Amino acid sequence: MKKHTLRLRSNKFLRHLSESGSLNANKMIQPLFLVEGLTEKEPIKGLPDVYRETNKSIYTQIESDLKAGVSQFLLFMVPSAKSDTSFSKEFYQSNISEIKKTFPEMFLWLDTCICSVTTTGHCCHFHPQGTIDLNLTLHRLSELALIYADAGADGIAPSDMMDGRVASHRKILDENNHSHVPIMSYSTKFKSHFYGPFRGAADSSPQFGDRSGYQLDVRDRDTAIHTSIRDKEEGADLLMVKPGMTAIDLIGPIKEKTGLPTGAYQVSGEYASLVYLAKEGFLEFEDGLRETWDVFRRAGSSFLITYGARIAQRMYS
C-alpha cells in the first residue's frame, strides 16, 4: 500500500477529505490569519467576520469556530519583520504548539510559502540578475515546513508553485520523523486577479512585477493538469485548484488522472464578490454562497477551503 494511502486513512479528518461523498461541513477548511505583534484583531476588507488575529484573539476565534462545527483550519502566519535569510522561529513554534495544545481536537494545516516573509513579497528568492534561485527557494520553503511540523502542525500545504517543492517537503519531513504528516498541495494555482483581499491580510503583495514567472497562466489547461500530476508523483497526498471557480473545469480531470482527492480554494476575491453583490442588494449572501458550493460539489471537489466554513454546518443543517 502506498504511503499517501496510509496517511489519508490515518485519522477521521483526512478520511473526511478523501471520501467521495458530497461536500459538507466536515469537508470545509477555514482559513485563519495570525499576525505577529498585532495588539488588536483587524478586519479584512471584503471578508466580513474574517480577521487578522492577535496571538490572543485567535484562541477565541478557534473556540467559536469549533463550536460552529469547523474541524479543520488552514493557518497563515504573518511575521512582523521581513527577512531573506532567516525565520522568526519563536513566532512560528510557540504559537503553533500552543494552539495545538489548547485545541487538540482540531486539524491544523499550515500554509508554506515565503511571500509574507521576503522583502520582495514574492514566493521565491531571486538571483542578482533577476531569475528565480530555485535551490535557495526550495531550501527555505522546506526549512519552513520542518519548523511547522516540529511545532505540531498536522498537515503542510505548499502554495508557492515552485518546481520540486513537494518532493523537497516530503524528503525533509520523512528524514525528520514526520512521515505521517500529509501534504495538501496547491498543485494547480493560477496567477489571478482574485487574490486581492488575501494579499492585504497576509501582507504579501509583490513589491515589483507579478507572479507570472511561477504561477500558472489561466489559459494553459495542459500545464495546469500536468503540475498536479507532477505533485502527485513527488509525494503529495491531496491536490488543490486555485482560484476555485476559474479552475473548476480541472477538478474532475485532475482527480481522474491522479487518483488523489482534489479540492478547491474559494479564494478571497471570489468570496468578496458575493459579499459586495449582497451589499448592493443583488443577491442574498448565503443563497449565493450555497450556489457556489453546489457548483463545487457538482464538479467533484473532494474538499473546499472557504472563508465561509464557519457557517457551513448551519447552512447544511
Side-chain angles (χ1 to χ4, degrees):
M1 185 177 292
K2 295 181 178 179
K3 287 185 179 181
H4 72 78
T5 303
L6 292 173
R7 279 191 289 267
L8 291 177
R9 293 181 180 179
S10 63
N11 60 65
K12 66 179 181 180
F13 304 104
L14 296 173
R15 291 193 294 271
H16 285 320
L17 301 190
S18 304
E19 60 93 12
S20 57
S22 294
L23 284 177
N24 55 60
N26 289 327
K27 287 176 164 285
M28 303 277 186
I29 301 173
Q30 177 68 50
L32 295 170
F33 298 89
L34 176 60
V35 183
E36 185 178 23
L38 205 62
T39 56
E40 293 185 9
K41 62 190 298 183
E42 297 176 348
I44 301 171
K45 188 175 182 180
L47 302 177
D49 301 320
V50 181
Y51 298 88
R52 284 161 48 91
E53 303 284 354
T54 72
N55 61 359
K56 293 183 179 179
S57 69
I58 197 167
Y59 293 90
T60 303
Q61 184 63 67
I62 293 173
E63 183 177 22
S64 174
D65 287 340
L66 289 169
K67 289 179 179 178
V70 179
S71 59
Q72 302 200 45
F73 299 82
L74 177 59
L75 180 59
F76 298 90
M77 303 189 73
V78 185
S80 58
K82 305 287 188 181
S83 174
D84 295 322
T85 58
S86 62
F87 291 116
S88 178
K89 290 186 179 181
E90 173 61 22
F91 168 58
Y92 297 131
Q93 292 172 336
S94 61
N95 284 288
I96 293 170
S97 61
E98 189 60 33
I99 287 171
K100 281 299 300 179
K101 179 181 177 182
T102 306
F103 303 107
E105 69 272 33
M106 72 186 292
F107 194 95
L108 185 62
W109 295 95
L110 264 292
D111 178 274
T112 54
C113 192
I114 54 176
C115 57
S116 294
V117 179
T118 58
T119 57
T120 64
H122 277 280
C123 310
C124 60
H125 293 292
F126 295 96
H127 291 294
Q129 65 270 33
T131 58
I132 293 173
D133 187 337
L134 185 59
N135 289 336
L136 176 59
T137 300
L138 292 180
H139 173 77
R140 290 206 79 207
L141 288 166
S142 296
E143 180 186 3
L144 187 59
L146 181 58
I147 290 171
Y148 289 163
D150 283 345
D154 296 302
I156 300 298
S159 64
D160 52 279
M161 288 303 291
M162 295 295 125
D163 293 343
R165 92 273 202 211
V166 171
S168 181
H169 280 38
R170 189 72 270 160
K171 183 175 186 291
I172 199 169
L173 292 173
D174 290 351
E175 290 176 347
N176 289 274
N177 300 313
H178 296 301
S179 59
H180 63 286
V181 175
I183 294 175
M184 177 175 65
S185 176
Y186 293 66
S187 57
T188 293
K189 178 180 178 180
F190 292 106
K191 174 185 172 293
S192 175
H193 299 287
F194 288 92
Y195 299 147
F198 172 91
R199 288 180 178 172
D203 191 19
S204 62
S205 297
Q207 298 302 301
F208 60 86
D210 58 29
R211 293 181 172 141
S212 57
Y214 45 95
Q215 293 181 354
L216 299 172
D217 187 324
V218 73
R219 300 167 296 181
D220 190 349
R221 176 184 175 87
D222 290 344
T223 302
I225 294 174
H226 172 74
T227 59
S228 281
I229 295 173
R230 176 201 65 193
D231 283 7
K232 184 230 174 141
E233 293 172 347
E234 291 185 3
D237 300 283
L238 303 103
L239 306 175
M240 184 208 313
V241 301
K242 180 183 179 183
M245 292 302 288
T246 57
I248 203 162
D249 59 307
L250 301 174
I251 295 173
I254 290 171
K255 287 180 70 174
E256 181 178 351
K257 290 179 181 296
T258 65
L260 291 186
T262 303
Y265 195 143
Q266 184 176 41
V267 300
S268 60
E270 294 173 323
Y271 195 84
S273 68
L274 298 173
V275 172
Y276 286 119
L277 285 170
K279 183 178 179 180
E280 295 299 323
F282 292 117
L283 54 71
E284 293 294 328
F285 175 72
E286 290 191 8
D287 290 342
L289 184 61
R290 181 187 292 273
E291 182 175 332
T292 65
W293 290 355
D294 285 343
V295 176
F296 284 118
R297 174 195 55 78
R298 188 185 72 211
S301 186
S302 302
F303 58 90
L304 186 64
I305 302 168
T306 173
Y307 297 93
R310 56 177 51 119
I311 62 174
Q313 187 176 77
R314 173 169 57 79
M315 288 178 62
Y316 278 114
S317 63

